[in-house]
Amino acid sequence: MLFLGIESSCDETALALVQDGRRVIASHVASQTKIHERWGGVIPEIAAREHLVALGSMYQNLLKSSEVSPNHIDAIAVTQGPGLIGCLLVGVSFAKGLAQSSSKPLIPVNHVHAHVHGALLGIDAEYGQIFPTLALVVSGGHTNLYYMSSPTAFELIAHTIDDACGESFDKVGKMLGLPYPGGPHVEMLAKSGDASKVSLPRMIERKSHMAFSYSGLKTAVARVIRDEKTTAAQHADIAAAFQDEALGQIVRKLEIAQMMRPKAKSIIVAGGVAANSRFKSLVKESTKLPVWFPEQHFCSDNGAMIAALGFHTFRQDKHETNLSWDVFSRYPFEKFLTTDN
Ligand code: KG4
Ligand code: ZN
């Protein structure tokens, strides 16, 4: 089945055509980073307006460049959430319009879950070789570890109790005077640093407490910069020490998760931070299981991962007519609709 995937949850407008959840026919991404960098973060209202301007022509270009006619598209998948509410509404409205005018099925997709499928695009392994799997989504908004018994079964077994990992990279990047978004710049700076020269706190290790935390680490970095009046040369050491603990705590929890879930056949690491090469080597050194990271251009937000999860959801829920259609920002609306109080 040929799926069109539409992503507009934050500052990337992205569309893609994906065959059977794995084979990417075309993937176009328009990043708004240049527009938002002067504010050092995403301005939601501007982001939503940019999506509105970009979507129509990007859709036409996608079809033209891949020589696919709209009739060949079997179904449409769109990011339903979590994300910036105005941005989500633009993407969902566009997708609804397309689906209505072409009488194609429309599938709502969870953005965070979709990142996992970004790591499986283009690979040959059978699903039986991959699942059950332990899947990490490490991005600007989330640090989640799932146990997945199938491509659509997401059991959340650990998440951050404060900042997300990518968000902490961005904040530390800002403290070190690096451009936005900080993640890739912190990685670059860390390459010339010596982590052992800076002492930062390690997240408390308790088997029973499967969680990640970044606020203490971030505050410790701020304190080192302020109290030690650090020079530019020391900034590389700080970046290296921060990076090692930010990623190290994830790897240590992943090791515990493998003991807790011995049936896991593989590990998937996805989300923007999966682009970090130190992360790749730390995870691969820590396990005997096969590990899948996304290709570099599928680490950050893209439409192909949305199309891929849309395909699996459609296959599973084909006969289900009441798919939830509320656009949600961070948490599904149903959570707030209970009448308990
Ligand atoms: O998945 P993503 O593109 O967007 C969200 O859904 O959040 O993730 C973006 C995050 C940003 O915080 C960015 O700084 C971080 O991923 N990131 C990195 C690297 N490349 C991107 N963090 C560390 N090292 C990198 N190489
Ligand atoms: Zn994302």
Side-chain angles (χ1 to χ4, degrees), residues 15-31:
L15 292 112
L17 292 166
V18 177
Q19 188 72 42
D20 298 333
R22 281 277 187 92
R23 197 160 68 82
V24 182
I25 308 297
S27 172
H28 292 186
V29 179
S31 170

Side-chain angles (χ1 to χ4, degrees), residues 9-10 12 111 115 138-142 165-167 169-170 181-184 187 243 271-277 296 299-301:
S9 66
C10 190
E12 263 106 19
H111 175 96
H115 267 295
V138 190
S139 68
H142 295 82
C165 181
E167 182 183 7
F169 266 91
D170 296 341
E187 178 184 5
Q243 176 174 263
V273 184
N276 186 297
S277 54
Q296 198 77 4
C299 288
S300 50
D301 295 347

Side-chain angles (χ1 to χ4, degrees), residues 313-328:
T313 309
F314 182 70
R315 267 219 314 204
Q316 183 196 284
D317 293 341
K318 247 204 278 242
H319 307 294
E320 179 74 62
T321 49
N322 63 349
L323 289 168
S324 162
W325 262 112
D326 280 328
V327 168
F328 68 91

Side-chain angles (χ1 to χ4, degrees), residues 206-252:
R206 261 185 291 134
K207 218 173 178 173
S208 57
H209 190 53
M210 285 293 283
F212 309 111
S213 170
Y214 288 95
S215 72
L217 183 62
K218 184 189 68 188
T219 308
V221 170
R223 203 168 290 142
V224 170
I225 295 172
R226 189 195 61 201
D227 295 350
E228 299 183 12
K229 305 214 168 24
T230 49
T231 61
Q234 288 165 301
H235 281 185
D237 298 338
I238 297 172
F242 161 77
Q243 176 174 263
D244 273 13
E245 175 50 21
L247 304 175
Q249 64 166 280
I250 298 178
V251 174
R252 295 195 296 272

